């Protein structure tokens, strides 16, 4: 349990810090989606400058509190959840089958972990989007409660796609680099650099895959009555397929920085907490541990009985 508590702390710290630092980019991405006419033809830098000119630095920090709270929960659940589910699934399949099914198992572990993470992120993300769209927080954003979960399905779809792509690309890219340059494993600095580059690559790929769901989520957060089908239809009628990819460039930069920072901080935190490769093989299974302990005890008792029997037989002879 101690190892997974450390995973939780490392994940919460990594997610919260990276998302809070990049709130201004997230604000611009959300405004590009909610006010496309205002930012048409503008890149990320130009959009940032326009928001700064129109509302000052405070406007670039809209939604800071829900972002912080939502991604503390997200990091505290998705990283330890992924580690736990991945090792459980591999253990269930056995070493040979687990090696052959590595990619599906990684994808499934990421999806399972993301599902539980989305339960806390969904209301926080709804409040964040509304705060950005209305240029300030209002208590009415918190009610009715069911409206905070109107975007759960697209959020789950977005995060599952994003999470599966993120973990798969990160694992695959990092493994390929270490196979090609095995000496990088032996230095802490080079290992962290691999995490940084792998994370950035994973973030870019995951963004493209999940962008349509992000567009639907943003629209649903501002108008929950639309429903998923209604939101998708509105996007299609307003700008065709391109409307589903509004803000893709800004979100790509945001995601590459976020994921690179998360994996880097996560690895740093694991090293700080001295979580080793041996620790990573542990699982939070009290029953299995108890059974193993009981089995060892029985083996020792049986061996002791055999030794006594042999001694008695020797004396009798």
């Amino acid at each position: 349990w101690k190892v997974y508590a450390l995973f939780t702390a490392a994940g919460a710290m990594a997610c919260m810090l990276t998302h809070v630092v990049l709130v201004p980019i997230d604000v611009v991405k959300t405004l590009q989606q909610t006010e496309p006419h205002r930012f048409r033809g503008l890149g990320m830098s130009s959009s940032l400058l326009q928001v700064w000119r129109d509302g000052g630095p405070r406007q670039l920090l809209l939604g800071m509190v829900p972002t912080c709270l939502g991604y503390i929960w997200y990091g505290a659940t998705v990283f330890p959840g992924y580690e736990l589910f991945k090792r459980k699934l591999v253990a269930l399949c056995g070493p040979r089958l687990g090696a052959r099914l590595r990619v599906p198992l990684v994808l499934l572990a990421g999806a399972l972990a993301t599902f539980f993470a989305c339960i806390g992120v969904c209301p926080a993300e709804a409040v964040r989007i509304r705060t950005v769209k209305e240029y300030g927080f209002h208590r009415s954003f918190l009610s009715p409660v069911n409206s905070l979960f109107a975007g759960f399905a697209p959020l789950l779809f977005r995060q599952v796609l994003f999470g599966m792509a993120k973990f798969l690309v990160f694992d695959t890219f990092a493994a390929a680099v270490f196979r090609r340059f095995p000496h990088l494993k032996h230095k802490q600095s080079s290992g962290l650099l691999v995490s940084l580059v792998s994370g950035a690559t994973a973030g870019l790929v995951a963004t493209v895959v999940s962008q349509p769901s992000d567009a639907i989520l943003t629209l649903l957060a501002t108008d929950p009555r639309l429903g998923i089908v209604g939101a998708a239809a509105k996007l299609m009628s307003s700008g065709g397929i391109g409307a589903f990819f509004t803000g893709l460039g800004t979100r790509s930069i945001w995601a590459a920085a976020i994921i690179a920072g998360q994996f880097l901080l996560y690895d740093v935190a694991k090293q700080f907490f001295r979580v080793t490769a041996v620790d990573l093989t542990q699982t939070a299974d009290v029953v299995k541990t108890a059974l193993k302990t009981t089995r060892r005890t029985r083996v020792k008792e049986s061996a002791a009985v055999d030794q006594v029997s042999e001694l008695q037989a020797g004396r009798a002879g």
Side-chain angles (χ1 to χ4, degrees):
W1 288 103
K2 180 183 177 182
V3 172
Y4 286 93
L6 295 178
F7 283 152
T8 300
M13 181 187 74
C15 268
M16 185 270 290
L17 287 177
T18 50
H19 278 82
V20 165
V21 166
L22 294 171
V23 161
I25 297 178
D26 209 10
V27 168
V28 169
K29 185 270 299 182
T30 302
L31 289 174
Q32 286 176 335
Q33 291 176 324
T34 57
E35 302 177 32
H37 57 281
R38 179 183 171 194
F39 297 96
R40 186 170 287 114
L42 296 180
M44 189 194 72
S45 300
S46 300
S47 298
L48 274 169
L49 289 173
Q50 180 163 325
V51 174
W52 178 286
R53 284 195 299 266
D54 293 347
R58 188 172 181 178
Q59 198 167 100
L60 287 170
L61 299 178
L62 289 168
M64 173 77 76
V65 173
T67 296
C68 181
L69 295 177
Y71 284 96
I72 285 176
W73 166 269
Y74 189 84
T77 52
V78 78
F79 279 98
Y82 170 70
E83 300 280 8
L84 176 63
F85 286 125
K86 185 172 72 171
R87 282 160 181 79
K88 283 290 188 182
L89 290 169
V90 170
L92 283 172
C93 292
R96 289 186 179 178
L97 185 59
R100 280 193 294 173
L101 298 177
R102 190 188 74 83
V103 171
L105 292 179
V106 166
L107 291 174
L108 181 57
L112 289 170
T114 301
F115 174 82
F116 290 101
C118 283
I119 294 171
V121 171
C122 189
E125 186 72 355
V127 173
R128 183 198 70 78
I129 292 170
R130 293 172 192 177
T131 301
V132 173
K133 183 178 184 295
E134 301 299 328
Y135 296 95
F137 173 77
H138 302 285
R139 286 186 177 274
S140 60
F141 293 165
L142 302 176
S143 60
V145 174
N146 63 339
S147 72
L148 297 176
F149 290 89
F152 185 78
L155 173 68
L156 180 62
F157 197 61
R158 182 193 78 177
Q159 292 302 115
V160 165
L161 286 175
F162 190 92
M164 288 194 304
K166 173 179 72 176
F167 284 119
L168 176 62
V169 173
F170 178 84
D171 271 13
T172 304
F173 189 89
V177 171
F178 284 131
R179 276 198 306 271
R180 180 68 180 83
F181 306 102
H183 62 279
L184 295 178
K185 290 182 181 178
H186 307 305
K187 287 186 179 181
Q188 180 177 332
S189 58
S190 59
L192 293 177
L193 179 61
V194 171
S195 288
L196 190 68
V197 176
S198 300
T201 305
L204 287 171
V205 174
T207 300
V208 176
V209 170
S210 62
Q211 183 65 20
S213 296
D214 185 72
I216 292 173
L217 173 66
T218 300
L219 190 55
L220 273 178
T222 57
D223 190 356
R225 296 168 299 178
L226 283 172
I228 298 173
V229 176
K234 186 173 181 178
L235 283 169
M236 182 63 76
S237 63
S238 65
I241 295 296
F244 290 91
F245 292 90
T246 301
L248 176 62
T250 302
R251 186 167 175 253
S252 295
I253 296 170
W254 171 86
I258 284 277
I259 304 308
Q262 281 178 9
F263 279 114
L264 177 64
L265 288 173
Y266 188 54
D267 278 357
V268 168
K270 285 197 294 185
Q271 290 181 19
F272 177 78
F273 290 133
R274 297 178 182 176
V275 178
T276 65
V278 176
D279 294 325
L280 296 180
T281 63
Q282 298 179 15
T283 56
D285 193 335
V286 178
V287 175
K288 181 184 284 188
T289 304
L291 288 173
K292 284 183 177 179
T293 304
T294 303
R295 195 177 298 120
R296 289 193 195 106
T297 303
R298 286 177 179 172
V299 169
K300 288 179 181 178
E301 288 175 351
S302 178
V305 169
D306 290 342
Q307 287 179 353
V308 171
S309 299
E310 287 175 4
L311 286 172
Q312 288 176 345
R315 287 172 184 171

